Amino acid sequence: MQRAGALWWRRALSGGGADGGAGAGGGGGGWVEPAAGAGAGPALAAGPGAARRLRGLARVWPRFLSAAEEAALGRELEPVLGRQRYQFDHWDGAIRGFRETERGRWGAAGRAALQRAAAAAFPPDRPPLGLVHVLDLHPGGHVAPHVDSVKFCGGTIAGLSLLSASVLRLVSCRDPGEWLLLLLEPGSLYVLRGAARYDFTHEILRDEESFFGGRRVPRGRRISLILRSPPQPPP
């Protein structure tokens, strides 16, 4: 099988769905209005342009997964990931310090959690691809700024986060001064679609850069389960 990571990246750059309700863990869902300050919630934006363009297109559901669902997914993935070594080089430099796999078969608890995530992020008539991309990021690793390739991914990307909190940064391809930060805590679900998927790069910040609203967000080992819509021409 071709390396999963080689499928998803169009380019690394230098520098800087459907509506769902609360998750199983009880957290509220959907867009959180960007605001200043440490207690602003899971989204912070710079400039009115990013907030306006990405409203409803870059979303976070905190505590989407229950603790039991997180544990069940971890138990399924650990034996597979544990047989691999972390890689510190990538074919285009987009990821450093990672292990990965693609998975299409899940136990009952994992399958139910992924079905809920798909229902929250994707319209019923446009479900995600059957294979889930699993990315295991080393505590010292990072995902560089990139836009996913249109050859392998359509207009929606969704990700479940396990183990460690992290900060996802989106930066406008046209104006680097327009950016959005999303706080991805363990058990959260994020969704990028439309302009957030096509017109902004996204990245997982390095540990030394991992701040949100002036607050340090220590980066440990992070596992993400990424769902993508089938390839289609960009709008």
Side-chain angles (χ1 to χ4, degrees):
M1 183 181 73
Q2 184 179 1
R3 285 196 312 166
L7 299 178
W8 309 122
W9 314 105
R10 181 168 77 192
R11 64 182 181 272
L13 303 180
S14 59
D19 291 338
W31 171 264
V32 175
E33 186 70 37
L44 290 172
R52 181 175 59 252
R53 290 184 65 197
L54 298 182
R55 185 176 179 85
L57 302 178
R59 307 170 70 113
V60 179
W61 282 260
R63 299 177 299 281
F64 184 86
L65 297 175
S66 67
E69 288 173 323
E70 287 186 67
L73 288 166
R75 285 193 299 270
E76 287 200 53
L77 294 171
E78 196 61 47
V80 177
L81 296 170
R83 292 196 293 266
Q84 302 180 35
R85 293 186 177 183
Y86 284 103
Q87 302 178 54
F88 286 86
D89 59 344
H90 187 266
W91 68 278
D92 68 355
I95 324 175
R96 183 169 181 83
F98 69 99
R99 303 185 291 200
E100 64 184 343
T101 188
E102 289 179 317
R103 191 171 179 89
R105 299 181 64 181
W106 301 87
R111 183 168 60 252
L114 288 163
Q115 288 173 344
R116 283 201 307 109
F122 299 86
D125 60 339
R126 284 177 286 170
L129 294 165
L131 290 178
V132 177
H133 180 198
V134 179
L135 182 63
D136 180 352
L137 200 60
H138 186 275
H142 69 280
V143 179
H146 68 279
V147 176
D148 286 37
S149 172
V150 297
K151 294 181 180 179
F152 306 105
C153 176
T156 301
I157 303 167
L160 292 166
S161 299
L162 306 179
L163 300 182
S164 171
S166 61
V167 178
L168 180 73
R169 179 166 62 191
L170 290 83
V171 179
S172 169
C173 296
R174 293 182 296 181
D175 181 2
E178 295 286 352
W179 51 260
L180 180 77
L181 298 181
L182 299 178
L183 178 61
L184 307 182
E185 296 179 306
S188 65
L189 169 70
Y190 74 86
V191 179
L192 307 178
R193 60 186 181 90
R197 179 263 185 270
Y198 291 113
D199 300 335
F200 283 68
T201 63
H202 60 276
E203 62 187 301
I204 295 293
L205 298 183
R206 305 169 189 259
D207 179 59
E208 59 268 27
E209 300 174 334
S210 189
F211 288 84
F212 184 84
R215 176 168 63 90
R216 180 88 166 90
V217 181
R219 258 282 324 284
R221 178 190 175 201
R222 175 181 186 265
I223 295 177
S224 55
L225 290 79
I226 306 166
L227 298 86
R228 294 176 169 90
S229 56
Q232 63 185 41

